[in-house]
Every structure is written in structure tokens, then in C-alpha cells.
Amino acid sequence: MIFIGVLNVLYASEINDFRIMECFRAMLGSHSIQERSRELLPISPVFEHCYVVFAKGHQVVDSRGFYDTGPQRESKVDFAKCYAVKNYGQSEVEARSDWVKFLLHFDDNSIQYSLAQNNCCTRCVDVFRAIGFNMPPKCEEVNLGIGTRFKASGSAVDNLG
């Protein structure tokens, strides 16, 4: 009985914890990109969309993804494919303050989208670095590092999208 009580306390605190998370999902319409990439790359990668979620437990408070049309709120979040960048526990004031700092950088409409130089994953990584957050390794490794570890210019990689 005590064990169940401890689990309930742990679960109750977790569902009220604030987090900023990096999330990933298969890119919509990525089939054509993957088909075209086979001509350029020796393997057929699965491209993923990177986005960031501000959550309280498993409820989305706000989110952002970067598209060729600019920053946008994400319509669907799969928490199973999210990695915590920063956990705040019950500290709502600190969490919201960091989220506002994140948005000030992320929502900069002067940044132009480029598949090879400034894509959705690039934007997430660059903003996290700018505000001093550490990221899970997957953030830089996703999509073969295109736009995060490797930034091509005028190459065939630029022509994938």
C-alpha cells in the first residue's frame, strides 16, 4: 500500500512538471525528398521534422516549428518522440521566463528557411545554443546532420526540397 502511495506522489508531481522539449516526427511529404535524395546519397534516409514543445506534464502549453513560411505553432505533438532539454519541476515562473526567451529568438521572422543551411532542426539547435541550453545528441544528428553539423551551400543538398 505504501508503494502505491509513493508511485502516486511521483506520478502526481510529474504531471505537474514544466519542461521544454525537442521533438521529432517524420516529415510530411518527405517521400519526394527521400526519392530525390537517393540520387544524391548512397543511403535512403528518413527525414524528420524538429520542433520544440513547452509542456506541463503531458499537456502542451505552447510549441514551435520552423517552416519555409516561418515559425509556427505545431498542431500535433507526440510526446513519445520528445526529449527533455530542460526540466523545471514545479517552477512555472522560471519555465515561462525561459520559454519567452526561447520565443524571442525562435520567432525572428528575418531568418530565412533553407533545407541545407537553416532548416527546422538548425533553428532549434541554434536557438538552444543562443540561450545557453544543452541539447540531447539526437538534435544535431537527425537528418544526417544536414543543417546542424553540416551546412551546405550551393550544393546538391540544397536542391532536396
Side-chain angles (χ1 to χ4, degrees), residues 17-88:
D17 283 356
F18 288 90
R19 295 178 182 86
I20 292 180
M21 299 178 286
E22 174 93 27
C23 304
F24 306 91
R25 66 172 161 76
M27 282 179 45
L28 296 175
S30 64
H31 179 72
S32 64
I33 292 173
Q34 291 175 35
E35 289 298 315
R36 291 167 62 191
S37 69
R38 283 193 190 125
E39 301 167 11
L40 305 169
L41 302 170
I43 59 173
S44 177
V46 173
F47 289 98
E48 292 183 280
H49 171 62
C50 301
Y51 60 101
V52 180
V53 172
F54 175 45
K56 181 178 182 183
H58 288 287
Q59 293 184 339
V60 176
V61 176
D62 199 3
S63 61
R64 284 297 184 281
F66 189 60
Y67 297 87
D68 57 354
T69 56
Q72 296 177 23
R73 186 178 166 109
E74 291 293 318
S75 59
K76 185 177 179 186
V77 172
D78 180 0
F79 283 103
K81 296 181 182 177
C82 293
Y83 298 81
V85 174
K86 190 165 182 182
N87 291 308
Y88 297 90

